């Protein structure tokens, strides 16, 4: 089993969800997060003080999904397809893949692949 964590631009979430639905993926967690990567953040203006400051954090969406090993490649491809910018701008996101030792469905006590 694998645990996929994807950091994407917020405006790409609907596209990613559609691509995941096309491949039959079900069960994902979405969180609003802030961070920065290669694009480095942005300059903000505090309107109450008319001062400029560097925020260094951009709004992102974190998607987490657990998959069986055989669905890893198609799931990653769906996330890539849904989140990619046409022009290839910096800041399109990142996908991390981790090994998942176990999963347990609380209601039925199923574990492993059966819990997914």
């Amino acid at each position: 089993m694998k645990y996929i964590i994807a950091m994407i631009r917020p405006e790409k979430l609907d596209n990613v969800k559609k691509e995941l639905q096309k491949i039959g993926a079900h069960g994902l967690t979405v969180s609003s997060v802030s961070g920065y990567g290669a694009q480095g953040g942005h300059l903000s203006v505090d309107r109450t003080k008319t001062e400029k400051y560097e925020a260094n954090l951009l709004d992102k969406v974190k998607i987490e999904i657990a998959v069986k090993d055989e669905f890893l490649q198609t799931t990653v491809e769906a996330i890539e397809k849904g989140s990619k910018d046409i022009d290839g701008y910096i800041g399109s996101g990142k996908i991390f893949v981790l090994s998942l030792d176990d999963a347990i469905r609380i209601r039925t006590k199923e574990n492993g692949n059966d819990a997914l």
Side-chain angles (χ1 to χ4, degrees), residues 11-23:
E11 65 270 17
K12 297 295 184 177
L13 178 59
D14 285 340
N15 292 346
V16 171
K17 287 183 353 188
K18 287 175 188 172
E19 293 300 324
L20 288 170
Q21 288 168 349
K22 285 181 188 177
I23 64 165

Side-chain angles (χ1 to χ4, degrees), residues 73-90:
Q73 192 60 39
T74 54
T75 304
V76 167
E77 289 170 359
I79 295 169
E80 288 174 334
K81 184 176 180 183
S83 61
K84 186 173 169 100
D85 280 321
I86 294 171
D87 297 328
Y89 288 118
I90 292 174

Side-chain angles (χ1 to χ4, degrees), residues 20-111:
L20 288 170
Q21 288 168 349
K22 285 181 188 177
I23 64 165
H26 57 278
L28 69 134
T29 300
V30 177
S31 306
S32 295
V33 297
S34 296
Y36 69 93
Q39 81 278 26
H42 62 283
L43 189 67
S44 296
V45 176
D46 183 343
R47 294 180 186 197
T48 60
K49 299 178 184 173
T50 62
E51 294 177 13
K52 293 180 182 179
Y53 63 94
E54 198 163 342
N56 283 336
L57 298 175
L58 298 173
D59 292 335
K60 296 288 183 183
V61 170
K62 179 167 82 169
I63 298 171
E64 299 171 83
I65 184 168
V67 297
K68 297 177 183 178
D69 288 332
E70 58 265 27
F71 295 119
L72 174 63
Q73 192 60 39
T74 54
T75 304
V76 167
E77 289 170 359
I79 295 169
E80 288 174 334
K81 184 176 180 183
S83 61
K84 186 173 169 100
D85 280 321
I86 294 171
D87 297 328
Y89 288 118
I90 292 174
S92 296
K94 287 233 173 35
I95 300 171
F96 304 96
V97 178
L98 294 81
S99 293
L100 183 60
D101 292 334
D102 203 1
I104 301 160
R105 187 182 311 267
I106 294 171
R107 179 179 52 87
T108 62
K109 297 185 181 176
E110 293 169 294
N111 69 334

